[in-house]
Amino acid sequence: MTADPDLLDDLVRLAAAAGTEVDVAADPAAARSRYLGAALVLVGADQAVACLRAHLPRRSRTAVVGHEPIVHAAWEVAESLGAEHVAMLPAAEPWLTERFAAAARAEPPPAGRVLAVLGGRGGAGASILAGGLAVTAAREARRTLLLDADPLGGGLDLVLGWEQDDGLRWPALAEAGAHADPAALLKALPHRGDLVLLSFARDAPRPVPPQAMAVTMQVARDTRDVTVVDLPRHLDDAATLALAAADQTLLIVPAELRATAAAARVAAIARVHCAALSVVVRGPAPSRLKAREVARSLGLPLAGALRPEPGVCQRIERGVPPAVDGRGPLAELCAELLAQLSVVGEAA
């Protein structure tokens, strides 16, 4: 990741000598969607401070690279980025060539997939869809994390009926920050079987620090088969980071004209940050607006349509998680969407 043409020329030359293909990004925005999945990340000294400001998540197998003398700011920022080394050229050329070769021999990155859910308007049903996806994934024996990124939402613990379950919520996790141990983190969260939940506390809502979200997303990638993130419509820094880390983002939109108009605004913002955005259209359709018409008007691929299922909300009020029995329109849609996510993962 560098906008320095001289540095880029040197790195491409060293990679070629090691028989390694490289993916080039000029800045953090261009790198974000590929950042966590790369076998090795080299951050140019010219982009080190920009990476910190962009709240890129900490990750292993990262180094800051520059020409001698490397700027002092890069040394200061390297630790905050989680970089294991600061390499100065030309002295570090042999070491970098070996790192490139080792990256080519490395095992593929963890196969954990991240699925984000975003409401096209208030009350669209994003939290219920997110809960249904997580419950369905766990029922399919996938190690699953359901992550609440909406501090002003009602709380995903209420969607699952887990509000009385013991375990850490976001405020306690935010205090641990970058020092959280992955195994200890998952064990400390509310969990039942293969499903782990991270939601907000019942006291006054506080935004999630971006660094806490970055650590959590890295843990999710490394330890969970599927992570489902419930995003707010008004994205804060932490939610933006989670959106950028998602392999697939679902925009759920009621089949209504005004909802579609509102969703167009949400989609315009989301497109800037996510790699793959598609729409789920929720019935009923008072004016018989078809799901494909909604998707076409938004300029998005149609991931699926959700038929009306009035009993879902009633069961949630009684503490019954959505799609828990595997029957009904929501459960069927969730299984279909997770199958699509698996296909995307295999293709990647």
Side-chain angles (χ1 to χ4, degrees):
M1 186 194 318
T2 180
D4 181 338
D6 293 332
L7 178 60
L8 180 59
D9 286 346
D10 283 341
L11 294 177
V12 170
R13 172 175 55 82
L14 295 174
T20 306
E21 294 184 1
V22 295
D23 197 359
V24 179
D27 54 39
R32 190 181 292 275
S33 64
R34 297 162 283 171
Y35 188 75
L36 288 176
L40 171 68
V41 171
L42 299 180
V43 178
D46 61 301
Q47 295 299 315
V49 174
C51 287
L52 190 61
R53 290 174 178 165
H55 302 300
L56 287 184
R58 293 172 62 90
R59 49 152 291 154
S60 59
R61 304 183 305 280
T62 302
V64 175
V65 186
H67 286 115
E68 295 186 83
I70 199 166
V71 294
H72 182 66
W75 291 91
E76 295 179 333
V77 170
E79 184 176 358
S80 297
L81 289 177
E84 299 160 332
H85 304 278
V86 176
M88 296 184 291
L89 300 178
E93 286 194 2
W95 179 83
L96 275 174
T97 302
E98 174 54 32
R99 295 291 286 185
F100 275 127
R105 299 191 300 264
E107 292 293 323
R113 312 299 293 170
V114 178
L115 182 60
V117 182
L118 183 60
R121 67 154 168 81
S127 295
I128 292 177
L129 178 58
L133 286 164
V135 168
T136 302
R139 195 177 63 250
E140 294 175 352
R142 306 194 204 190
R143 298 169 302 166
T144 306
L145 171 64
L146 177 57
L147 195 157
D148 193 346
D150 187 357
L152 299 181
L156 289 180
D157 53 349
L158 287 172
V159 172
L160 296 184
W162 290 19
E163 62 271 21
Q164 301 300 323
D165 286 28
D166 294 331
L168 297 183
R169 267 61 173 179
W170 266 121
L173 182 62
E175 292 178 5
H179 304 292
D181 174 72
L185 166 62
L186 291 174
K187 189 174 181 180
L189 297 177
H191 57 278
R192 298 184 188 179
D194 286 322
L195 179 56
V196 178
L197 172 67
L198 177 53
S199 63
F200 288 89
R202 289 276 160 253
D203 56 6
R206 288 175 285 175
V208 177
Q211 187 58 43
M213 179 63 78
V215 171
T216 303
M217 295 306 297
Q218 183 63 59
V219 170
R221 284 280 189 189
D222 291 344
T223 62
R224 300 279 93 185
D225 299 319
V226 175
T227 298
V228 181
V229 186
D230 183 20
L231 294 169
R233 288 185 301 124
H234 301 286
L235 299 171
D236 57 17
D237 288 343
T240 300
L241 193 154
L243 174 61
D247 299 292
Q248 177 70 41
T249 301
L250 302 172
L251 179 68
I252 181 166
V253 184
E256 304 166 6
L257 182 60
R258 287 190 64 206
T260 303
R265 300 177 182 178
V266 177
I269 297 172
R271 276 192 180 102
V272 176
H273 304 288
C274 65
L277 180 65
S278 56
V279 63
V280 171
V281 179
R282 177 175 66 81
S287 60
R288 298 186 179 180
L289 190 62
K290 297 185 182 302
R292 294 194 179 279
E293 294 173 341
V294 173
R296 190 180 306 115
S297 68
L298 294 173
L300 295 173
L302 178 64
L306 179 58
R307 303 192 309 275
E309 190 175 356
V312 169
C313 293
Q314 297 172 2
R315 290 192 291 272
I316 289 174
E317 291 290 325
R318 299 197 303 268
V320 179
V324 69
D325 59 3
R327 298 193 298 270
L330 177 61
E332 293 171 5
L333 176 64
C334 289
E336 178 184 338
L337 294 172
L338 288 167
Q340 294 176 17
L341 183 69
S342 297
V343 170
V344 170
E346 291 171 1

